[in-house]
């Protein structure tokens, strides 16, 4: 089950996640929860990287830190959980300011923090709710494949294989936890460096993980009840589509519908 930025950004939405998770547990399955970063966090981190080249990142950094600490407070979990990530952010931004350039590798590391911090807070919240939850690093499951031309895209718009990994599936099932929580958007390359799946990549993460773990179903949770003929927030007359085959879903996603990322459909289709 994947929850996007707007679905992980408040106490209220985390209460929903806990309720949805309990429903799944009642059916005897082990859900894997894939989380996006705080709403707008990736945009802020993106702007921070650009600002750090000019050593003008401090206000953006303070703003993002404040919002994550605010969420920790709202969830009733310790802000100490993300102290190391925030220190790491400080170090990487300082490095960029000194170098006066942002290498793609550092850029990817900085953007990965949004999801990493979110899952640390969510993990603690669910455990406090009495849901036995295990934190899993998505970079241990998703490995990117090198593109022929290489370069920044290998770090910032990586592609991953989705072949089933029965060993990993068994490892997660036998870890003793009722639920696994992990990050969307991030993967690792063959050297173990952090890479990103491109913007909107959390849908793709969920699809890849579903295929790799041979899951029964992949759910993308969002703030609308399903896929519409047009954006219902903009066009109130848009119709909810009750059923779609993969071709139709791919066409709607490829035409720019924000509800599903086009890259997330092939892995589940193949699986």
């Amino acid at each position: 089950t994947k929850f996007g930025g707007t679905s992980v950004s408040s106490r209220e939405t985390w209460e929903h996640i806990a309720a949805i998770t309990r429903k799944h547990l009642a059916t005897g399955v082990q859900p894997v929860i894939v989380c996006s970063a705080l709403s707008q966090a990736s945009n802020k981190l993106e702007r921070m990287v650009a600002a750090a080249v000019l050593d003008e990142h401090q206000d953006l950094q303070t703003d993002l830190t404040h919002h994550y600490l605010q969420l920790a407070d709202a969830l009733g979990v310790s802000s100490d959980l993300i102290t190391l990530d925030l220190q790491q952010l400080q170090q990487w931004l300082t490095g960029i300011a000194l170098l006066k350039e942002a290498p793609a590798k550092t850029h990817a590391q900085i953007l990965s923090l949004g999801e990493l911090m979110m899952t640390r807070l969510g993990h603690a919240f669910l455990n406090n709710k009495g849901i036995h939850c295990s934190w899993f690093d998505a970079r241990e499951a998703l490995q990117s494949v090198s593109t022929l031309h290489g370069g920044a895209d290998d770090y910032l718009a990586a592609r991953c294989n989705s072949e089933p990994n029965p060993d990993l599936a068994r490892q997660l099932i036998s870890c003793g936890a009722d639920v696994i929580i992990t990050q969307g958007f991030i993967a690792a390359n063959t050297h173990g460096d952090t890479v990103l799946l491109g913007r909107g990549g959390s849908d793709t993460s969920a699809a890849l993980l579903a295929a790799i773990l041979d899951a029964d179903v992949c759910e993308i949770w969002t703030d609308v009840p399903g896929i519409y003929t047009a954006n219902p927030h903009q066009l109130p007359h848009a119709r909810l589509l009750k059923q779609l085959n993969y071709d139709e879903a791919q066409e709607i996603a490829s035409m720019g519908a924000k509800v599903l990322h086009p890259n997330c459909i092939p892995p589940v289709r193949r699986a």
Side-chain angles (χ1 to χ4, degrees):
T1 49
K2 178 256 170 177
F3 297 95
T6 49
S7 308
V8 292
S9 292
S10 68
R11 169 76 187 226
E12 185 191 3
T13 52
W14 272 98
E15 294 285 0
H16 288 311
I17 292 172
I20 290 162
T21 302
R22 284 208 174 93
K23 269 190 183 146
H24 284 318
L25 289 173
T27 67
V29 298
Q30 184 192 50
V32 177
I33 299 172
V34 179
C35 294
S36 291
L38 196 56
S39 192
Q40 291 306 310
S42 299
N43 291 336
K44 287 176 184 173
L45 287 163
E46 195 79 71
R47 290 206 302 275
M48 232 177 278
V49 169
V53 175
L54 308 168
D55 199 11
E56 290 172 1
H57 54 279
Q58 291 81 4
D59 290 350
L60 286 163
Q61 188 185 348
T62 303
D63 175 61
L64 182 91
T65 300
H66 169 71
H67 280 104
Y68 269 94
L69 295 178
Q70 220 175 10
L71 180 64
D73 188 47
L75 295 179
V77 301
S78 171
S79 60
D80 292 350
L81 294 165
I82 56 172
T83 303
L84 286 176
D85 294 313
L86 292 170
Q87 285 171 356
Q88 197 70 89
L89 175 62
Q90 173 72 52
Q91 283 172 4
W92 284 325
L93 291 169
T94 304
I96 290 172
L98 290 169
L99 278 174
K100 297 186 172 45
E101 63 172 333
K105 179 177 170 176
T106 311
H107 191 150
Q109 286 172 318
I110 287 173
L111 260 78
S112 74
L113 290 174
E115 276 72 12
L116 288 165
M117 292 195 292
M118 179 55 74
T119 51
R120 294 194 212 287
L121 299 180
H123 172 245
F125 174 78
L126 292 174
N127 275 311
N128 287 351
K129 284 261 156 202
I131 296 170
H132 184 199
C133 183
S134 176
W135 188 89
F136 180 73
D137 191 326
R139 292 168 295 193
E140 291 181 28
L142 300 182
Q143 193 167 76
S144 67
V145 286
S146 248
T147 55
L148 292 173
H149 54 80
D153 270 5
D154 275 350
Y155 280 100
L156 305 176
R159 291 275 182 273
C160 294
N161 287 325
S162 60
E163 279 75 47
N165 183 340
D167 289 342
L168 179 64
R170 277 194 294 274
Q171 179 194 322
L172 294 182
I173 288 165
S174 63
C175 77
D178 297 327
V179 183
I180 308 296
I181 189 166
T182 192
Q183 309 78 33
F185 187 45
I186 70 173
N189 64 17
T190 48
H191 307 298
D193 299 333
T194 299
V195 300
L196 309 175
L197 302 184
R199 296 308 304 272
S202 292
D203 285 358
T204 310
S205 297
L208 289 166
L209 285 165
I212 286 166
L213 298 172
D214 194 22
D216 292 334
V217 69
C218 175
E219 297 179 346
I220 310 281
W221 287 79
T222 184
D223 55 356
V224 290
I227 299 180
Y228 286 76
T229 49
N231 185 341
H233 294 316
Q234 290 164 353
L235 293 172
H237 301 301
R239 288 182 302 113
L240 176 64
L241 300 163
K242 291 281 188 199
Q243 217 172 358
L244 283 172
N245 63 34
Y246 283 115
D247 285 332
E248 292 162 336
Q250 188 76 61
E251 191 175 335
I252 285 172
S254 300
M255 278 163 45
K258 295 280 184 280
V259 69
L260 268 188
H261 196 287
N263 292 351
C264 85
I265 297 163
V268 284
R269 178 185 206 149
R270 284 195 295 271

